[in-house]
Amino acid sequence: MAETEDQRESEETSTDDREERPGTASSLVSRVLSRAKSLEGQGVLVGEIVTELATEIIEGRLDAGYDLTSVNLGRRFGTSRTPVHQALAVLQREGLVEVPPRKRARVATLTLEEIRDLYQIRSTLYSLMSQEIVAGATDEQIARLDEPLAAMREAVEQGDTLGYFYLTVDYRHIEADICPNQRVGSIIESLGLRIYRLRRYGLSLPNRMRTSSVDYARLREAYGERDRDLASAVTRAMMRKALTVIEANWEREPVPHSPNSRAHKGS
């Protein structure tokens, strides 16, 4: 028997309980939302809508300013407007969607001023995290970074920008896990999924992936050498480089964009 809309909407099981394959957009979104408890009290259908739309925005398949009408989304996901509105509210809190007064929801647009503020905050927090890892993480914990680092090198050689992006997310999540001050990672996650949208965009720019890979390797060396000042300096330099590249390209390419994004228009 086909599952009815009411049965789907009343499903109580959270999407956090579903198993996700590591290194994919859905696993990234699920992990971040789980850490931030953004889907607590929401059903599976809301989680599915959030995950799918967040993935398309993060990967640049939906342009900034793209209209997210409840009618079209309801038709797309086979549901009423209620779970769609709930999903859009979650995405709004994550900074991926904006709802102007008396207008329909749309993919959020970030200004350069907002981006600079976000990267300043990230630089400060990740610098603190790096210092804490040097001071308090064990050698065994730090060694957990070697697996994603090796995979990142391979992704660079293969020219796999999207795969590389997800591996950097894994690297950063491991840092948060092994950092003695667990509140730092929680504060970083509170910045929302908008950060991943910016990171993916920045890494898609020319030569950024290879430069980033070298910097992550230097950061790992600083951890191994227990050099607190070097780890902090490398981290701040990484953030500065990422922001500089985005600033240089944002006016020319004002929104995270890919040629595939047009396929969603009118769907």
Side-chain angles (χ1 to χ4, degrees):
M1 180 184 298
E3 185 180 37
T4 67
E5 179 181 312
D6 289 341
Q7 286 174 319
R8 295 190 72 196
E9 288 186 36
S10 63
E11 180 67 60
E12 296 296 331
T13 305
S14 168
T15 53
D16 296 343
D17 297 330
R18 292 180 302 164
E19 299 243 341
E20 299 283 359
R21 183 168 59 86
T24 65
S26 58
S27 66
L28 161 64
V29 173
S30 295
R31 288 201 306 270
V32 173
L33 294 178
S34 177
R35 286 170 180 260
K37 304 186 184 301
S38 298
L39 289 178
E40 280 193 349
Q42 306 286 359
V44 169
L45 180 56
V46 173
E48 289 175 352
I49 298 171
V50 169
T51 299
E52 192 161 336
L53 292 178
T55 298
E56 292 174 0
I57 296 170
I58 289 170
E59 293 188 352
R61 291 186 275 128
L62 289 179
D63 292 339
Y66 173 73
D67 286 337
L68 298 166
T69 67
S70 57
V71 173
N72 288 343
L73 291 174
R75 185 182 304 117
R76 172 180 171 182
F77 291 99
T79 186
S80 67
R81 295 185 183 186
T82 300
V84 169
H85 289 159
Q86 292 171 339
L88 290 175
V90 173
L91 291 168
Q92 185 178 16
R93 291 194 295 271
E94 292 296 320
L96 293 180
V97 166
E98 58 191 12
V99 186
R102 296 181 296 279
K103 292 186 179 180
R104 64 187 58 174
R106 64 193 183 196
V107 177
T109 300
L110 290 173
T111 67
L112 270 177
E113 182 179 2
E114 291 171 319
I115 295 170
R116 290 175 182 130
D117 288 345
L118 287 169
Y119 268 84
Q120 181 181 41
I121 294 169
R122 292 186 70 226
S123 179
T124 299
L125 291 173
Y126 273 114
S127 175
L128 173 60
M129 180 178 287
S130 295
Q131 294 177 42
E132 290 289 310
I133 289 173
V134 168
T138 66
D139 291 341
E140 290 75 16
Q141 288 175 321
I142 293 174
R144 290 175 55 193
L145 296 168
D146 293 337
E147 183 176 349
L149 189 61
M152 287 158 65
R153 295 191 188 99
E154 184 176 348
V156 170
E157 295 307 314
Q158 294 176 348
D160 182 4
T161 304
L162 194 57
Y164 179 85
F165 159 67
Y166 288 121
L167 288 165
T168 67
V169 173
D170 288 339
Y171 188 103
R172 290 301 193 185
H173 280 172
I174 291 173
E175 283 184 316
D177 288 339
I178 68 177
C179 179
N181 187 338
Q182 287 291 292
R183 291 181 177 84
V184 180
S186 298
I187 295 172
I188 291 173
E189 294 294 354
S190 73
L191 296 176
L193 288 168
R194 78 195 84 187
I195 292 298
Y196 297 98
R197 177 186 178 190
L198 288 171
R199 288 174 60 185
R200 197 282 315 166
Y201 171 71
L203 288 170
S204 72
L205 297 171
N207 302 317
R208 269 299 299 152
M209 184 167 54
R210 189 170 296 278
T211 299
S212 169
S213 176
V214 172
D215 288 338
Y216 273 106
R218 291 181 62 208
L219 180 58
R220 171 62 179 91
E221 290 174 2
Y223 288 152
E225 295 168 2
R226 298 291 178 174
D227 191 327
R228 184 170 177 169
D229 291 339
L230 178 59
S232 176
V234 170
T235 297
R236 288 186 178 276
M238 291 171 71
M239 297 296 167
R240 185 168 59 251
K241 290 177 187 178
L243 175 59
T244 298
V245 171
I246 290 176
E247 286 177 324
N249 289 272
W250 202 250
E251 290 185 3
R252 186 181 65 202
E253 185 76 34
V255 295
H257 170 80
S258 82
N260 294 330
S261 63
R262 300 302 178 193
H264 294 270
K265 302 288 184 180
S267 62

